[in-house]
Structures are given as structure tokens and as C-alpha cells.
Amino acid sequence: MIVMEIVPVDKRRSKVILDEDFTLVLYRGEIKRFGIEEGEELSEDTYQEILKDVLLKRARERVLYLLKASDKTEQELVRKLKEGGYPQEAIDYAILFVKEHRFINDENYGKRYVEYNSTRKSERQIQYELQKKGLDKEMIRDILEEQPVDEEAQIQAYIRKKRIVPEELDRKGRAKVISSLARKGFSYEAVTRALGCIYSDN
């Protein structure tokens, strides 16, 4: 590997840009310690030494710090490490470490997420957000079957909060309410059912 360029990231760290679009982020003292210079070769032995002595441990500490701040899924941690310039070997090592020590579990994360948001967000919105966080569709479906989202209760709460009286809505007003709730991810069926029963208990 040839060192193409060394670019400062901040006062203490620099990006070491290697050929084949490979990048390492190291402290300046480490760059000096391993004798890394622009235009020079970075041998495989030196790279493995950097990986073992520096990057594996740093990636592990980074994910532990991220998890201390808040729950994260595996995909979110991987993304953060990639953004931090860690090579794939360090990312794999750090993720395996937190998995083996049960610091992350995507299914448990999904269950907690649904429990917290089931009275605040539509099922469709929860599905979308959990997929973005890296959970697969089947896992999300199983979680939602176990912990159903009461969309009608949320819609009724929204209508009460907005002081909407369904019986007084004309076609245009009704369409506006349906459209507003659809943007929040609620299905047409759930909205129309809620509009029909919102004041049935009065």
C-alpha cells in the first residue's frame, strides 16, 4: 500500500489516504511512531501492527462509548465506525466484541423501540424507522405482532387535541384530516374507523 496523502482532520488527528481508496485516521504521534510518510509504502506488517496495537482497541472503545450515550443497532454502530475512518477489520472486531458481551441485540432494541413509540407513532412509521436502523422486515413484523400498535387510539387523541368534530366536517375537511394523518403513516382504514367512532363513547 502506498501513502498517497496525509490530510489533517483536526489539531490532533490526520487521515492517511492510501491507494485503492483506503483511509486510516490516526493521531499525529502514531503517524510518526509508525514512520508513515507521503509517497512511501506502508508495508503489510506495519499495517497489521497498527491494526493490532491501535485500531482494534480504539474501535472497541468507540462503540462502548456510543452505547453508553444511547442504545444503538448493529447497523448504526457500523455506520458510525465507517464515518470515523476505521477499516473493516476493526469494525468487525468491535461489533463481534459487543455482540459476544451482549451489549447489543437488535431484537431487544426493536422491542424497546416499539414499546416506547407504540402510543406516539404509526405502525408504518415504526416499521420504516426500524428498517433504517438495520432491522430486517421479518424481525420487525414479529415484534409488532407481539406488541401491536393501537393506531386508532393515537388518531383519536390527535383529533381531540386538534378539537376536530367529525360530524361537522364536510368532504373537503374530512379529506384534509385523512391526508394529514396519512402523512404520519396511518392507514386510510384506521383513520376512517377512528373518525367514525371518536365520540361514540360520549
Side-chain angles (χ1 to χ4, degrees):
M1 292 181 283
I2 303 298
V3 179
M4 306 300 290
E5 195 175 3
I6 299 174
V7 181
V9 174
D10 52 37
K11 291 181 179 180
R12 302 174 63 199
R13 299 175 303 157
S14 292
K15 277 185 183 179
V16 178
I17 301 172
L18 305 166
D19 53 355
E20 300 177 6
D21 280 339
F22 194 64
T23 303
L24 302 175
V25 176
L26 297 170
Y27 286 94
R28 302 212 177 147
E30 293 163 349
I31 292 172
K32 187 175 181 181
R33 169 187 162 193
F34 292 104
I36 300 171
E37 295 182 7
E38 286 186 3
E40 298 295 323
E41 182 182 0
L42 180 68
S43 70
E44 183 62 26
D45 287 346
T46 302
Y47 172 71
Q48 290 300 326
E49 188 180 355
I50 294 170
L51 195 62
K52 181 182 175 183
D53 291 354
V54 177
L55 297 176
L56 295 184
K57 296 173 185 175
R58 189 170 294 158
R60 182 187 65 198
E61 294 306 313
R62 179 63 177 157
V63 294
L64 289 175
Y65 173 81
L66 290 168
L67 289 170
K68 186 177 179 181
S70 65
D71 273 354
K72 297 278 189 301
T73 63
E74 179 178 340
Q75 181 174 292
E76 287 176 314
L77 291 174
V78 169
R79 186 174 67 247
K80 288 285 187 183
L81 290 174
K82 283 182 177 178
E83 289 170 357
Y86 290 92
Q88 193 60 48
E89 298 100 320
I91 294 172
D92 292 342
Y93 169 81
I95 296 300
L96 181 60
F97 176 85
V98 291
K99 275 185 170 181
E100 286 181 341
H101 289 80
R102 299 183 180 179
F103 292 132
I104 61 168
N105 181 305
D106 281 1
E107 184 176 0
N108 288 342
Y109 177 96
K111 288 178 178 178
R112 289 193 299 272
Y113 188 91
V114 172
E115 183 179 4
Y116 180 75
N117 289 288
S118 61
T119 59
R120 303 168 59 245
K121 297 182 179 182
S122 67
E123 183 174 306
R124 192 176 299 169
Q125 188 176 1
I126 288 172
Q127 287 174 330
Y128 173 74
E129 290 175 357
L130 285 177
Q131 281 182 240
K132 276 184 68 179
K133 290 174 180 293
L135 276 70
D136 64 59
K137 292 181 180 180
E138 187 176 346
M139 182 184 289
I140 297 168
R141 187 177 64 247
D142 290 345
I143 292 169
L144 287 168
E145 283 180 3
E146 187 180 319
Q147 300 173 229
V149 176
D150 190 346
E151 292 196 335
E152 286 188 36
Q154 290 186 57
I155 295 166
Q156 289 173 13
Y158 170 88
I159 292 172
R160 287 192 177 97
K161 182 180 178 182
K162 297 292 184 180
R163 298 182 178 180
I164 296 167
V165 181
E167 293 83 353
E168 295 178 2
L169 292 173
D170 57 17
R171 182 175 293 182
K172 186 176 179 181
R174 192 178 179 85
K176 187 176 179 182
V177 173
I178 292 171
S179 177
S180 177
L181 287 163
R183 286 195 295 272
K184 296 177 181 290
F186 295 104
S187 68
Y188 175 82
E189 292 77 12
V191 174
T192 52
R193 280 198 303 270
L195 284 172
C197 69
I198 182 68
Y199 290 137
S200 63
D201 57 343
N202 289 349

